[in-house]
């Protein structure tokens, strides 16, 4: 596609529910990243995929958060038993390559998650 | 642990002024540095990418410089316009891990 797309753009859920956030990277980009941005803060890293595998998941805050990228393209961020503190904008980015070379990251518009 | 600082948090200037936005980082062993623009309620738009071996990059009215040894980068905006009003974030990539570490951003307002 022309750019990184994310769906939904907004998600409102109740505390304790399960949510899935989707990211469609730029076609041909092998590296995919998830970040989380709270109000007034810069984005914080969550997880990085190189192809289908999670190369670095050190930013995931706890085991309620999980992400997959089964075919090396689209990725889904999954949050179980949501808490009010999970409310934030979830941003996805992709780059042509990652790892030791790693280059410019392009971001999607984000999904604004609100947990009531 | 890498930390990125952007000061001040907000800046207001009259249209036409040339301005400099500052970014500092604690670990000088970076792979690259990116400057982004974020409009309210929107995602991030990449403005400039500077590799660790480079000193500066230019795109139109924007010029970004990098002094890796002192842990500093500046984004220079020439002849500012009201359309430049946005939040500007810098981010560094440290080590072989591809993740970016961001500053909190500088919210710029250009007054007509």
């Amino acid at each position: 596609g022309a750019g990184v797309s994310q769906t939904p753009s907004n998600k409102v859920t109740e505390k304790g529910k399960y949510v899935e956030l989707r990211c469609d990277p730029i076609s041909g980009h092998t590296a995919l990243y998830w970040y989380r941005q709270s109000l007034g803060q810069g984005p914080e890293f969550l997880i990085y995929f190189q192809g289908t595998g999670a190369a670095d998941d050190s930013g995931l805050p706890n085991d309620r958060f999980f992400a997959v990228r089964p075919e090396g393209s689209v990725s889904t961020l999954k949050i179980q038993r949501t808490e009010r503190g999970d409310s934030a904008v979830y941003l996805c980015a992709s780059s042509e390559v990652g790892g030791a070379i790693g280059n410019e990251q392009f971001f999607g518009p984000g999904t604004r998650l609100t947990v009531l | 642990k890498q930390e990125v600082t952007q000061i001040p948090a907000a800046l207001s200037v009259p249209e036409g002024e040339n301005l400099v936005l500052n970014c500092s980082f604690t670990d000088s062993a970076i792979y690259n540095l990116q400057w982004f623009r974020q409009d309210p309620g929107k995602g991030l738009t990449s403005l400039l990418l500077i590799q660790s071996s480079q000193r500066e990059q230019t795109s139109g009215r924007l010029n970004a410089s990098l002094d890796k040894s002192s842990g500093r980068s500046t984004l220079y905006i020439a002849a500012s316009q009201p359309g430049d009003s946005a939040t500007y974030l810098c981010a560094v990539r440290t080590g072989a891990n591809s993740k970016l570490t961001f500053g909190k951003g500088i919210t710029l307002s250009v007054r007509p």
Side-chain angles (χ1 to χ4, degrees):
Chain A
V4 179
S5 62
Q6 293 186 246
T7 55
S9 56
N10 280 285
K11 176 70 177 179
V12 180
T13 191
E14 294 180 342
K15 180 176 178 295
K17 297 291 189 182
Y18 168 83
V19 297
E20 289 189 352
L21 312 179
R22 175 188 167 109
C23 172
D24 203 335
I26 294 172
S27 178
H29 281 193
T30 63
L32 184 146
Y33 317 81
W34 284 98
Y35 294 83
R36 178 168 74 172
Q37 186 176 26
S38 300
L39 194 63
Q41 304 294 315
E44 293 182 327
F45 169 78
L46 295 176
I47 186 170
Y48 152 56
F49 286 91
Q50 182 58 46
T52 60
D56 182 356
D57 64 357
S58 63
L60 294 178
N62 52 59
D63 61 6
R64 294 187 298 105
F65 288 74
F66 189 71
V68 296
R69 194 186 185 200
E71 297 179 357
S73 179
V74 171
S75 175
T76 304
L77 178 65
K78 308 180 181 192
I79 310 174
Q80 298 177 322
R81 304 183 305 280
T82 52
E83 300 178 356
R84 292 191 181 89
D86 298 335
S87 297
V89 176
Y90 289 80
L91 295 164
C92 176
S94 70
S95 65
E96 284 187 31
V97 294
I101 300 174
N103 48 17
E104 192 171 8
Q105 294 186 22
F106 297 91
F107 280 74
T111 294
R112 182 175 299 277
L113 176 65
T114 303
V115 182
L116 301 176
Chain B
K1 176 186 172 187
Q2 178 72 272
E3 293 183 1
V4 179
T5 302
Q6 294 184 256
I7 296 174
L11 186 63
S12 180
V13 300
E15 181 176 5
E17 189 163 301
N18 300 324
L19 59 104
V20 172
L21 306 181
N22 293 306
C23 171
S24 62
F25 45 94
T26 55
D27 184 349
S28 62
I30 64 170
Y31 275 59
N32 59 46
L33 182 147
Q34 263 184 275
W35 280 93
F36 294 89
R37 169 186 172 136
Q38 187 171 34
D39 292 285
K42 304 293 185 183
L44 278 65
T45 300
S46 180
L47 298 174
L48 289 163
L49 169 71
I50 310 178
Q51 300 293 354
S52 62
S53 58
Q54 297 175 319
R55 297 283 293 182
E56 65 179 297
Q57 282 284 345
T58 298
S59 175
R61 294 183 295 110
L62 305 179
N63 176 277
S65 67
L66 174 63
D67 185 343
K68 201 172 72 162
S69 61
S70 67
R72 295 176 188 273
S73 176
T74 61
L75 179 67
Y76 174 83
I77 303 176
S80 58
Q81 303 170 358
D84 295 330
S85 298
T87 296
Y88 291 81
L89 298 114
C90 77
V92 297
R93 182 169 161 260
T94 310
N97 186 315
S98 290
K99 71 179 183 183
L100 293 175
T101 302
F102 282 83
K104 292 184 177 182
I106 298 174
T107 299
L108 173 66
S109 174
V110 181
R111 308 186 301 271

